[in-house]
Structure formats: C-alpha cells, structure tokens
Amino acid sequence: MDRKTARTVSPGQVRTRFAPSPTGALHLGHAWSAILSHDFAVTHGGTFLLRIEDIDGTRSRPDHVAGILDDLAWLGLRFEGPVFQSERLASYAAALDRLRAMGLVYPCFCTRAEIAASLSAPHGAAVAYPGTCRRLTPAEVQARMGEPHCWRLDMARALALAGPLAWFDHGRRVEADPAPQGDVVLARKDAPASYHLAVTLDDAAQGVTDIVRGVDLFDATHVHRLLQALLGLPTPRYHHHPLLTGPGGRRLAKRDGAPSLAAQRVAGQDGRALADALRRGELPAGLSLAKP
C-alpha cells in the first residue's frame, strides 16, 4: 500500500483549502464546497486555508477577490490566508523545467481548430489530444519554436516512469488511470501553468492534507496523482462531494448566471443562517444535491 496515500487523520494536522478563481461572483455551489472543506478542518482540529487562483490575468479582478473575502466572512467561515497563485509563477516554471529535463513534456503548436478537425467522436463525447506534435522531429520542433505553442505532458512516457498509482477518496482506494485524458496541457503562452499543474504544486506547497472538492473534479485527480508521483510530492486524502444542482439537474455555474452570494448579502439575508441550513440539508427552492 502507498504509505503517502494511507495516512490516518491526525487531530491538529489536518489542512484543507478552498481555492476559487476571482473571475466572477461566488454562488451557492461555491458556498457548499467551502462549508464542507471548512467544517472538515474544524471537526478535526485543523486549519482551513484560502487560495485565490488568479493565474488567469485577463479575467481575474481585484473586486472579485474582495467579494470572495466578504462572502466567506458573511457565511461565518474563518480561514488562513489568502495565498495568491499569481505570486507563485516561478514555482510553476521550475516544475515545468524539471518535467522538460525529464523528457516528459513537449511543445504543441496545434490550434484548437486543428485539433477539432483531426478528431472524430460522437457529439459531446470527451476526446483526448491525438498526439500530433508528439511525433515531430527535434529539427521540426526547433524550427517552429517561434510559433505560439503550449506544453503537453507525454502521458505514455509519464505513466511508464511512474508505474501503478492510487489515492484514497473518502477512505476508499482508487486506482489512478489518467491515460484516457491523453497528453494534457501543462502550460500555455497566456497561462504559465494549467489548472492541473498549478493546483498540484499549490496543494503541496501549502501542506494540504485533505482536499474537499466537487465530484466534477474527480477525473482531474487521476492526472494530479500522476503529477504528484513525477514531481515527488505528497498525496493528500481526497473527499469529492456531490454537487448542488439547479433546475433540470444542471450544476450551478458562473457562466450560466447562477445567483450570487453577493446579491443575497446585499439583500440582507443572514449568511450564517444560510450556512447552517446548508449543513442541515435544507436547500433553497429549486436546488438539489446531485446523486453520487
């Protein structure tokens, strides 16, 4: 058994986190996840951390950061931090350089349109990058390095090096299988680290022991487990929770205009009472918990 993934919960040593992106206002789905993460830490005498994932410089805004802080205080959640991703760019670059030196990443010059044109799959089906640029010769790569490109993980090589991997989710052993996700992007010209790379490094740097997050990120954990192995990082315990959904069973999302916590705050609603109601499973009208 992997000792790094089999640690028991020790009082006072638990560290959880909530890591929103300041690209819009928080909604009840965010509140639900933040409350679960906060309460897990409190229950185990640990620490609840706040990380602001502001690596998207074009969409992140200071007023959204202020709104996040106000929303968490309104809900009655106490936290340590925040830590900002934008202050950790050097660590992402160093990790990418390390993977590059290991021969595990390669530059990809394909546009989204070119990738879409090369793939054939049923409408709406998830598909992996076909590895077009992985097959370029060193001379071809060198000749094109002046073009816009991203850096992709060579999944086959990475898996061969790492070997079998697993993590624990709610105490249940899960065998890691990132292969179906293909050669995932680890960095782009406009983003010095992808979500996969940044969140893996940040959780390790902050000493996070338990990650409480939505089940929509379960598949991403396969990739994160692989990156932890490649970079020699510890593996936290995971606790993927059901999502709050709105009418029609759709998960709440900023892009779909989910009602914001700020609007409820301004309207005079009691945030602590709302948090307690969510803890009791008393959901606002029209909302439900998706089945696992």
Side-chain angles (χ1 to χ4, degrees):
M1 179 178 290
D2 188 336
R3 293 181 180 179
K4 287 183 178 179
T5 62
R7 296 172 299 180
T8 57
V9 176
S10 301
Q13 297 180 352
V14 166
R15 291 170 68 84
T16 68
R17 50 76 164 172
F18 177 56
S21 299
T23 56
L26 298 187
H27 52 64
L28 280 171
H30 294 116
W32 170 241
S33 194
I35 290 166
L36 292 176
S37 184
H38 168 272
D39 289 1
F40 186 94
V42 170
T43 297
H44 294 96
T47 305
F48 174 57
L49 311 169
L50 174 63
R51 179 167 70 238
I52 302 296
E53 298 195 338
D54 61 341
I55 200 169
D56 185 345
T58 59
R59 298 173 58 220
S60 297
R61 289 170 26 190
D63 58 313
H64 290 318
V65 175
I68 290 169
L69 300 179
D70 289 342
D71 287 341
L72 294 181
W74 177 67
L75 291 169
L77 307 184
R78 300 181 64 179
F79 55 85
E80 179 182 293
V83 168
F84 292 84
Q85 278 190 337
S86 57
E87 298 174 353
R88 291 184 35 77
L89 302 187
S91 68
Y92 307 146
L96 189 62
D97 284 343
R98 182 176 173 183
L99 294 171
R100 191 182 291 115
M102 296 166 69
L104 297 178
V105 296
Y106 62 90
C108 174
F109 307 94
C110 298
T111 66
R112 288 187 174 89
E114 289 170 338
I115 293 172
S118 68
L119 298 172
S120 59
H123 180 69
V127 291
Y129 174 68
T132 306
C133 289
R134 184 180 353 104
R135 295 185 284 270
L136 295 177
T137 67
E140 290 173 322
V141 169
Q142 186 61 36
R144 299 186 63 179
M145 284 306 290
E147 300 177 23
H149 60 275
C150 67
W151 289 92
R152 290 184 180 274
L153 179 70
D154 188 323
M155 184 62 73
R157 285 190 179 185
L159 288 173
L161 178 62
L165 300 168
W167 80 83
F168 281 81
D169 205 307
H170 294 284
R172 178 178 61 90
R173 183 180 175 88
V174 179
E175 303 296 330
D177 183 22
Q181 300 188 50
D183 295 355
V184 295
V185 172
L186 296 185
R188 292 187 175 89
K189 181 178 180 181
D190 60 345
S194 69
Y195 170 74
H196 292 310
L197 183 59
V199 74
T200 302
L201 292 168
D202 291 343
D203 287 333
Q206 289 189 274
V208 174
T209 63
D210 294 82
I211 296 177
V212 182
R213 64 185 180 189
V215 71
D216 56 324
L217 291 170
F218 182 88
D219 287 346
T221 307
H222 291 277
V223 176
H224 301 171
R225 181 65 189 94
L226 175 58
L227 290 174
Q228 289 158 3
L230 297 175
L231 295 170
L233 303 176
T235 300
R237 295 172 291 259
Y238 289 87
H239 312 266
H240 290 94
H241 62 75
L243 303 179
L244 277 183
T245 58
R250 295 190 63 178
R251 73 183 185 93
L252 302 181
K254 296 176 185 177
R255 63 177 176 272
D256 294 331
S260 71
L261 299 182
Q264 294 169 278
R265 236 185 329 110
V266 172
Q269 187 168 348
D270 187 328
R272 291 173 184 262
L274 172 63
D276 287 339
L278 291 175
R279 291 183 176 104
R280 294 191 299 270
E282 299 172 4
L283 306 180
L287 299 187
S288 61
L289 264 183
K291 294 183 179 179

